[in-house]
Amino acid sequence: MKLKRWLYLLHRWTGVALCLLFAMWFFSGVVMMYVGFPSLSQAERLAALPPLDADTITAGPRALLDRSSPEALQQLKLSSVAGRPAYLLQNRDGQWQGMFADNGEHIRNITLGQALAAAEVYVRQRELHTPPTAEARLIDMDQWSVSGSLHAHRPLYHIALHDDAGTELYISSVTGEVLRDTHRHERVWNWLGANLHWIYPVALRRHPSVWHWLIVGLSLAGLVSIITGAVVGILRLRLRKRYRGKDISPYRNTMKLHHLLGLAVLLPLCTYMFSGLMSMNPWGLFSDETSYRQQADHYRGIPSQTQFDDAEAIRKALRHHPDARELHWQWFNGEVYTYTINDQQQRDVIDAAAGGNWTAASQARLQHMMLGYSLIAAERLDRYDHYYYSHHERWRPLPVLRLRFDDPAQSWFHIDLHTGELLGRMTTKRRAQRWLYNGLHSLDFLFLIQHRPRWDLLVISLSIAGFLFSLTACLIGWRRLRPPPRRNRQRQTRRHEARP
């Protein structure tokens, strides 16, 4: 009886403490289905870039490459900065460098004038109707720029365009690229969506470790509340010897609704809370022992700087691709090649390494990299499946080659069959996370996400049921915490005064 008493008390007070949080999570989750956290997608970014003009290219990337060792080179592309062609180079430590391709001038610190010019190009390319003035300021971080992917570009220029949509841009002070755009409706809805769901105030997100363990702690407390509630609910349920001759629950009104509705939504409550915990990769459960970055570096090899195109070769390539928004350099087994990409995300490979036969070449390269382990399967994917799919505004290219190995991690590698790039690795742990997080939390099952609005209807229905259940908990919690009525307080006072 003492154990049961503590079980009741634990469920009661964890429920009182977390009921509003549960309701908030269900409500904000539905909002996030249609309004995600502000970002600049690949399609939006390319659409905001002007076509590269071959006649403006007067310098090749060699002078920029000389400032970085080949072993440290991670990425090189020709893009546009403030309306001018520019080479942008990223090292393996994540740091960026840049150089204008029209005069060979190195990009050191983007000025306010250059940031405003970049915003002007964005407005022109996106055909926005804006007032003649824009408000600009230099910031380190605000509510809409907390992402870790922006750290290498800080501080950021924040430019408010004051247009009808309330567009605000975030521009890198390192490269001059437009990194993020937000609109008024996104910002408003995100206060009801992602900011609530992820508990995302900027003051907290400045401290990633604190934020991480706060979410883990709240998720664990939520699981305790759900599990203890399930035990109490089952113990108090009578299907045979019913209460008062007909009721299966001893409670009435709101308590009865909370009891029965809680048992009805027990499974989605458990899966949502547990998968939310799994999204945080608590205690490194899904971290791999082998480094994917090292494997990707081995696959690509070390490029020779002499292989990178000079200005004349770049001009020639751009003349054959007048709609190109960017020119990317890539390397395979140390052999450098290029491809262009237009505003429709169409990629055209130029002088591909291995003759463009990526199926045989990438398989041989990965087998060499995975020396000591055998290739157990190779398959071409022309459409998405359970482990390689596009959803939640995340675009993934097709077709791809999947290579499976028998190493301890049971690694699966995906290779873009159009460009030869290594797109990622899925190990046993990552495949487990795919189901324990994406499967249980977002219901990312192909028979749902490929047949919308089937997915929408199911997720919204479960969220409404969870939200209503949470509201009953809020009402019970309020009744538990509110002060007693005035008449009861007077009776208690008289009883106290009447005591000797």
Side-chain angles (χ1 to χ4, degrees):
M1 293 300 295
K2 188 174 183 181
L3 179 61
K4 185 182 291 188
R5 175 64 176 169
W6 279 108
L7 186 70
Y8 279 58
L9 290 174
L10 184 59
H11 175 66
R12 174 188 296 170
W13 293 112
T14 54
V16 168
L18 298 174
C19 58
L20 283 175
L21 192 63
F22 274 53
M24 179 193 76
W25 273 333
F26 282 110
F27 173 82
S28 58
V30 174
V31 174
M32 289 178 64
M33 291 170 61
Y34 303 102
V35 184
F37 193 76
S39 64
L40 189 67
S41 69
Q42 173 81 331
E44 292 173 330
R45 187 183 68 83
L46 293 170
L49 295 175
L52 290 169
D53 185 355
D55 295 331
T56 62
I57 308 298
T58 63
R62 194 67 51 78
L64 182 61
L65 289 165
D66 288 341
R67 303 178 68 182
S68 175
S69 66
E71 295 82 4
L73 184 60
Q74 180 69 25
Q75 181 183 168
L76 177 66
K77 63 181 178 179
L78 173 63
S79 187
S80 297
V81 172
R84 299 169 59 186
Y87 301 106
L88 300 176
L89 180 153
Q90 185 186 32
N91 288 320
R92 289 179 182 172
D93 61 2
Q95 299 303 308
W96 286 89
Q97 302 177 53
M99 185 183 80
F100 287 111
D102 54 5
N103 62 2
E105 175 191 358
H106 288 285
I107 300 174
R108 291 179 174 84
N109 292 305
I110 296 296
T111 65
L112 176 60
Q114 289 172 323
L116 289 171
E120 184 179 348
V121 172
Y122 175 93
V123 168
R124 183 170 62 251
Q125 290 299 125
R126 300 303 299 270
E127 299 180 349
L128 302 181
H129 300 287
T130 63
T133 59
E135 179 184 351
R137 59 193 179 103
L138 194 63
I139 65 169
D140 178 62
M141 181 186 295
D142 68 2
Q143 185 62 48
W144 315 114
S145 59
V146 297
S147 173
S149 63
L150 302 179
H151 287 344
H153 297 275
R154 303 187 195 279
L156 306 171
Y157 283 102
H158 172 262
I159 299 180
L161 299 181
H162 297 301
D163 60 338
D164 294 338
T167 306
E168 297 179 1
L169 305 179
Y170 294 84
I171 297 175
S172 170
S173 66
V174 179
T175 65
E177 295 176 282
V178 177
L179 303 173
R180 179 155 297 182
D181 63 351
T182 73
H183 307 284
R184 185 182 299 109
H185 83 277
E186 284 182 320
R187 296 190 294 272
V188 171
W189 279 108
N190 264 272
W191 285 113
L192 302 174
N195 287 339
L196 286 179
H197 199 81
W198 295 338
I199 311 181
Y200 232 49
V202 64
L204 179 61
R205 284 296 287 125
R206 290 181 184 275
H207 309 283
S209 181
V210 175
W211 173 78
H212 171 89
W213 288 111
L214 174 65
I215 303 301
V216 169
L218 290 174
S219 300
L220 288 172
L223 282 173
V224 169
S225 180
I226 293 169
I227 293 171
T228 55
V231 175
V232 170
I234 293 172
L235 289 176
R236 300 293 282 167
L237 190 69
R238 287 187 186 176
L239 298 179
R240 292 184 178 180
K241 296 181 180 181
R242 301 193 175 190
Y243 299 96
R244 297 177 293 275
K246 60 179 180 179
D247 286 337
I248 61 176
S249 172
Y251 306 109
R252 296 180 183 276
N253 303 323
T254 306
M255 283 290 292
K256 182 177 181 179
L257 181 61
H258 180 77
H259 182 198
L260 300 181
L261 189 56
L263 291 175
V265 299
L266 177 60
L267 182 59
L269 277 175
C270 288
T271 56
Y272 278 141
M273 189 60 61
F274 175 74
S275 57
L277 174 63
M278 293 299 100
S279 72
M280 303 303 296
N281 186 21
W283 309 287
L285 290 177
F286 305 111
S287 299
D288 294 306
E289 296 179 1
T290 56
S291 170
Y292 169 70
R293 171 169 286 188
Q294 291 180 359
Q295 291 179 328
D297 290 342
H298 186 93
Y299 175 84
R300 299 173 76 194
I302 299 176
S304 171
Q305 293 189 3
T306 60
Q307 296 184 55
F308 288 89
D309 299 327
D310 57 17
E312 180 57 36
I314 295 171
R315 286 194 294 268
K316 181 179 178 180
L318 293 179
R319 289 192 180 104
H320 283 88
H321 300 85
D323 61 343
R325 261 51 176 183
E326 287 186 336
L327 178 70
H328 287 248
W329 278 265
Q330 193 55 254
W331 45 97
F332 170 78
N333 196 17
E335 186 177 347
V336 178
Y337 60 99
T338 56
Y339 66 85
T340 61
I341 182 168
N342 63 16
D343 57 339
Q344 302 300 315
Q345 302 188 71
Q346 179 180 344
R347 297 157 299 156
D348 290 316
V349 179
I350 304 169
D351 299 328
N357 184 10
W358 298 117
T359 300
S362 59
Q363 181 173 325
R365 183 62 179 165
L366 280 174
Q367 282 183 306
H368 180 269
M369 180 185 75
M370 301 291 288
L371 189 62
Y373 302 107
S374 300
L375 176 68
I376 58 176
E379 56 185 319
R380 175 191 172 104
L381 300 182
D382 291 300
R383 58 182 181 179
Y384 298 122
D385 68 0
H386 289 298
Y387 294 100
Y388 184 85
Y389 60 96
S390 183
H391 190 37
H392 308 297
E393 300 182 354
R394 181 179 181 181
W395 176 81
R396 284 177 166 174
L398 284 171
V400 298
L401 177 67
R402 175 183 290 158
L403 299 175
R404 307 185 188 189
F405 287 85
D406 66 350
D407 60 308
Q410 294 292 295
S411 301
W412 297 3
F413 295 94
H414 293 98
I415 294 95
D416 187 341
L417 286 176
H418 194 67
T419 65
E421 293 176 271
L422 185 60
L423 300 174
R425 176 189 69 176
M426 291 197 76
T427 61
T428 300
K429 290 183 177 181
R430 293 297 178 182
R431 291 192 291 275
Q433 188 182 34
R434 179 262 180 272
W435 292 112
L436 295 179
Y437 167 46
N438 301 96
L440 296 181
H441 203 74
S442 305
L443 300 188
D444 284 356
F445 302 102
L446 287 187
F447 72 93
L448 290 175
I449 61 179
Q450 292 185 346
H451 299 88
R452 300 184 68 175
R454 184 185 298 175
W455 176 78
D456 304 68
L457 294 174
L458 178 59
V459 175
I460 291 174
S461 298
L462 292 175
S463 298
I464 290 174
F467 180 71
L468 292 176
F469 166 75
S470 303
L471 288 184
T472 64
C474 292
L475 183 56
I476 294 168
W478 164 247
R479 290 174 177 173
R480 173 66 59 176
L481 295 176
R482 70 179 178 181
R486 182 177 179 183
R487 183 178 302 173
N488 291 345
R489 292 200 303 269
Q490 291 174 348
R491 291 176 181 174
Q492 292 175 2
T493 301
R494 286 197 296 268
R495 289 174 185 171
H496 178 73
E497 292 174 347
R499 292 175 183 173

